[in-house]
Amino acid sequence: SVGTLVPRAMADSIEQSLARVEAAEGNLDEYVARSLEMDPDTVRDLFSAEQVDALALAIRNAEEGKGFIIGDQTGVGKGRVVAAMIRYALVHDKIPIFVTEKPNLYSDMIRDLDDIGMTNELGLDTAKPKILITNSDEKIPYTLLRTVNGEITENNLILKAPRTGAAMEGVLKKMQQDESLGDYKVIFTTYSQMQTVKGKMTERMRFISQFGAGNYMIFDESHNAGGAGQAPEKARSSEQREAEGAVLQTGRAAFVRNLVRNAFGTFFSSATYAKRPDVMDLYSSTDMKLAVDRISDLADAIKQGGIPMQQAVAKMLTQVGQYIRRERTFAGVSYDTQETKVDKTTAENMATSMRDILEFSRMKEVVVKGIQKELDKEGAKAGEAGEKTKVQSANFGAIMHNLIDQ
């Protein structure tokens, strides 16, 4: 154990869900070891007790074709669990597709893969690792640490796409035609790669869609996958857009949700997975979908229910073993607080002045909006071509924030 705490409302549910897996599969260490094709002692060496628990639940759900959410606080070790699920997918002849927020996070995942012994299989210590990134213009540096003659040495390497620019589209198209990744075994991509361009699917989107179907999707920082409220194009009819090859359900949000629906299994990693209600329907591969008649209604249900509804959903997910959260304990941590002397009169005068400024700022915004409306009306009456007159004002709120921050 790495010294963690479990939210009180989830403690019993998590314990019961782990007990059910153990009753069905036997010792959790051995179950995870079998699923990852590792020796039990190796599993105990590589993973903490918390990580083994998360893996047992994630693997169980993957076997049932369901999704799993790990919501551990930063520092507990979500990355190594993700790396293990990449291994799980490979062991079971599935292509793992790792989606994260920014390309620089690829190096963190490579480090975790190296730590669990995937270097040889994925060629992580070579000039051509077997990880295909869709970001054609990115070059991601990463470092592998090795002990040579008792000293730690650094092996600095680069992860990059096989081609750049338009040539990369040709590579992706050929892989789709061949229905093969060639020498590559894992796909790394980012959410920005899943955005339509002028309402149309890109080649990389078609590539991810084809290889995502029936394989294992891993969504890192899943709360950033995009909300459901992205509006379709309004300028053209759906028939016209369809004839032009446009995506009728536009945007990243719709595309990611299709990936979830078509995948063999899904894994979501986020300490704040429920941060935005409009993202909740992303987790349709979990039993969360049973809470409403239509998964599209889930966002509104969560929004209306507020924090109590989010807590209820989290508890229900832990009861069926599809969510787990642990937090670091600060027991034994000492705080050396230092007293800062402040002149009370000066502080009171400052607070009074800032309140007056804030009140003025709010009144000013109302006046500015009124002036802008009048100018817009005048512009509409004139009907002449030219630049639109716009009223601008200083943002006193931002200045106040900087002052308080000091």
Side-chain angles (χ1 to χ4, degrees):
S1 174
V2 293
T4 58
L5 299 174
V6 175
R8 187 184 300 274
M10 303 179 189
D12 291 341
S13 299
I14 292 175
E15 186 175 348
Q16 291 167 9
S17 61
L18 288 169
R20 286 196 299 272
V21 176
E22 191 165 20
E25 302 293 344
N27 180 271
L28 295 184
D29 289 356
E30 295 179 2
Y31 170 55
V32 170
R34 289 197 306 273
S35 301
L36 298 180
E37 293 188 353
M38 286 182 170
D39 183 87
D41 288 336
T42 302
V43 167
R44 284 186 281 268
D45 288 340
L46 294 178
F47 304 101
S48 67
E50 288 87 349
Q51 290 167 336
V52 170
D53 287 349
L55 284 169
L57 294 175
I59 291 169
R60 184 69 169 172
N61 280 288
E63 290 173 344
E64 297 176 355
K66 295 182 177 180
F68 176 76
I69 305 169
I70 183 169
D72 289 345
Q73 186 183 50
T74 301
V76 176
K78 295 190 295 293
R80 189 166 292 201
V81 176
V82 171
M85 291 310 294
I86 288 177
R87 179 185 176 94
Y88 170 82
L90 291 171
V91 165
H92 293 83
D93 298 322
K94 299 295 180 183
I95 298 173
I97 302 180
F98 173 70
V99 190
T100 190
E101 181 65 12
K102 297 178 180 179
N104 64 299
L105 296 175
Y106 294 165
S107 59
D108 293 335
M109 184 47 53
I110 289 177
R111 181 198 63 216
D112 286 316
L113 288 167
D114 179 50
D115 288 342
I116 67 167
M118 296 295 292
T119 298
N120 289 338
E121 182 171 356
L122 297 180
L124 301 180
D125 56 355
T126 69
K128 293 183 178 181
K130 298 177 182 179
I131 297 174
L132 176 68
I133 67 172
T134 63
N135 314 77
S136 60
D137 296 323
E138 295 285 347
K139 293 183 179 181
I140 313 300
Y142 65 94
T143 301
L144 302 181
L145 299 180
R146 296 290 183 266
T147 301
V148 179
N149 298 325
E151 295 185 0
I152 296 178
T153 61
E154 294 184 352
N155 187 5
N156 297 310
L157 299 149
I158 297 289
L159 177 67
K160 60 181 180 180
R163 295 288 187 274
T164 60
M168 181 62 178
E169 291 192 4
V171 172
L172 299 180
K173 189 176 292 185
K174 181 69 164 56
M175 288 180 172
Q176 292 174 73
Q177 293 170 349
D178 295 344
E179 297 184 349
S180 170
L181 295 180
D183 293 333
Y184 293 102
K185 294 186 175 183
V186 183
I187 298 171
F188 278 13
T189 189
T190 54
Y191 293 114
S192 64
Q193 299 282 287
M194 301 180 178
Q195 187 63 49
T196 56
V197 176
K198 296 182 180 180
K200 297 183 180 181
M201 285 186 75
T202 62
E203 196 61 53
R204 57 178 174 265
M205 289 176 70
R206 284 188 281 270
F207 171 80
I208 295 169
S209 181
Q210 176 172 323
F211 285 99
N215 285 306
Y216 198 69
M217 297 294 312
I218 298 172
F219 298 97
D220 184 39
E221 304 294 343
S222 58
H223 57 276
N224 289 323
Q230 297 188 20
E233 294 179 84
K234 298 179 181 178
R236 296 171 292 163
S237 67
S238 60
E239 291 81 9
Q240 181 182 353
R241 288 169 47 237
E242 186 173 22
E244 294 176 0
V247 182
L248 296 184
Q249 286 183 299
T250 61
R252 183 173 76 189
F255 180 76
V256 173
R257 282 153 181 76
N258 282 330
L259 292 177
V260 172
R261 282 192 290 271
N262 296 328
F264 157 78
T266 48
F267 184 100
F268 307 95
S269 174
S270 172
T272 55
Y273 82 100
K275 182 179 180 180
R276 294 170 49 200
D278 62 342
V279 180
M280 297 302 282
D281 64 329
L282 172 68
Y283 308 108
S284 60
S285 55
T286 70
D287 286 355
M288 200 183 297
K289 64 179 179 291
L290 303 178
V292 289
D293 293 332
R294 295 182 305 173
I295 190 64
S296 58
D297 295 334
L298 187 60
D300 288 336
I302 296 292
K303 189 179 297 182
Q304 292 173 9
I307 298 299
M309 175 64 82
Q310 291 183 20
Q311 292 174 335
V313 169
K315 183 176 181 179
M316 287 188 287
L317 286 176
T318 58
Q319 288 174 339
V320 294
Q322 293 175 356
Y323 175 61
I324 194 168
R325 177 176 174 81
R326 282 75 55 92
E327 301 175 8
R328 296 302 295 263
T329 173
F330 290 94
V333 177
S334 60
Y335 297 88
D336 184 17
T337 56
Q338 297 182 356
E339 182 179 352
T340 301
K341 294 183 179 180
V342 178
D343 183 81
K344 186 175 181 180
T345 302
T346 301
E348 290 290 352
N349 290 338
M350 177 76 74
T352 300
S353 299
M354 292 175 67
R355 280 195 296 269
D356 291 341
I357 292 172
L358 180 59
E359 183 178 0
F360 169 77
S361 181
R362 288 171 174 169
M363 294 173 64
K364 177 262 304 177
E365 288 298 325
V366 174
V367 174
V368 167
K369 287 180 180 179
I371 295 174
Q372 185 66 62
K373 286 182 179 179
E374 291 301 319
L375 289 172
D376 290 345
K377 288 179 181 178
E378 292 297 323
K381 289 178 182 177
E384 296 179 356
E387 294 185 3
K388 181 179 178 180
T389 303
K390 186 175 181 180
V391 183
Q392 293 182 327
S393 62
N395 188 344
F396 290 105
I399 297 172
M400 287 175 61
H401 171 79
N402 293 333
L403 180 60
I404 294 170
D405 197 42
Q406 295 177 10

